[in-house]
Amino acid sequence: MRKILHADCDCFYAAVEMRDAPDLRNVPLAIGASAERRGVIATCNYPARVYGIHSAMPTARALRLCPHLTLLPGDFDRYREVSNQIQAIFHELTPLVEPLSLDEAFLDVSAVTRFSGSATWMAQWLKEECFSRTGITLSVGAAPTKFLAKIASDWEKPDGLTVISPERIDDFLRSLPVSKLHGVGPATGARLDALGITTCEQLRTLPLDDLTTEFGKFGHRLFELARGIDERDVRVERERKSISVETTFARNLPDIDSCRPALPPLCERLEQRLARHGYPLISGIVIKIRFDDFTLTTLESQGLAPSQESFDRLLEQAWARARRPVRLLGVGARLLPEAKKRQLTLPL
């Protein structure tokens, strides 16, 4: 049986700011771009969440909910420095670390013999070392699979430690909302709800054939997750080539004019993801469209910044390839390869 940890810093960017300026700890605080720039919130502290503020929310809306919100633009060089310190602690425990962003990672501790091989004690050590060395609190989940470990890390936030042992998996999953399953977004959740499925126990009543008929390949994934099956390995860090977001619509968008209003929320989500990765260098942008006949088209443009105006131009060109109703729309940014980054920093 594998032992997987998912470690997630609590409101990471805000936590760094509160660590370095203790007077911010008890006031509503958010990190994000200004409302004038049509910015979004990258993260916020827990006093801000009392007002309903959350990541990916437009800054203008956050300020309406909490006019006295302290808004900071973010110091991503500082955040990366703290992230590197935390990642180094992870690697003291195991070389099998898969970073997901600056503030979270999976760790495979199956072969670790320290702490008598106890994943619970390892998780406790990570939390204590991270706080003592960096002043940042971690929430950690331990489980035999990646998706359960990630759910567990969020179970008792902030400063949580949740262990889903093998003998607990079945009982834990039966009452788990299907919305917690990896890959189940609002559209899939709505389709499951229409079938009367809100928990994994209810999901288990659907035969595999029915799930694949209704959801295609993802139906097989749903069948497995409802039973705690997740064979994905923890993968050591590899160079990220792009960052993207997408939405599958509950109802197809019939034409280009109905697609355009869907772009701003996607652009906001993309900016939030770019912020979580410390605003990496970008080489271009890409737009993705899946039409109602399930054909897929993508269009890239080098040198453009990920702005709504740029994506709008690409959307028009990409949609013109088929001129059909749209069931999925995605936007993304291509990242500058490490080799080119090094070339840019070579001395003249």
Side-chain angles (χ1 to χ4, degrees), residues 244-316:
S244 62
V245 296
E246 61 185 42
T247 295
T248 300
F249 304 105
R251 295 181 179 178
N252 294 336
L253 304 181
D255 51 36
I256 185 66
D257 290 332
S258 60
C259 289
R260 288 195 175 99
L263 273 180
L266 283 169
C267 292
E268 290 169 0
R269 287 171 53 200
L270 178 62
E271 182 174 346
Q272 189 253 348
R273 287 206 65 192
L274 289 170
R276 283 177 62 85
H277 288 275
Y279 288 114
L281 294 177
I282 292 169
S283 63
I285 61 174
V286 59
I287 198 159
K288 171 182 175 182
I289 300 177
R290 189 180 297 278
F291 296 101
D292 63 336
D293 62 353
F294 288 87
T295 58
L296 179 68
T297 188
T298 59
L299 183 62
E300 298 189 33
S301 182
Q302 294 294 312
L304 288 182
S307 67
Q308 185 178 331
E309 293 75 18
S310 297
F311 282 120
D312 191 71
R313 292 198 297 271
L314 287 188
L315 171 65
E316 188 166 354

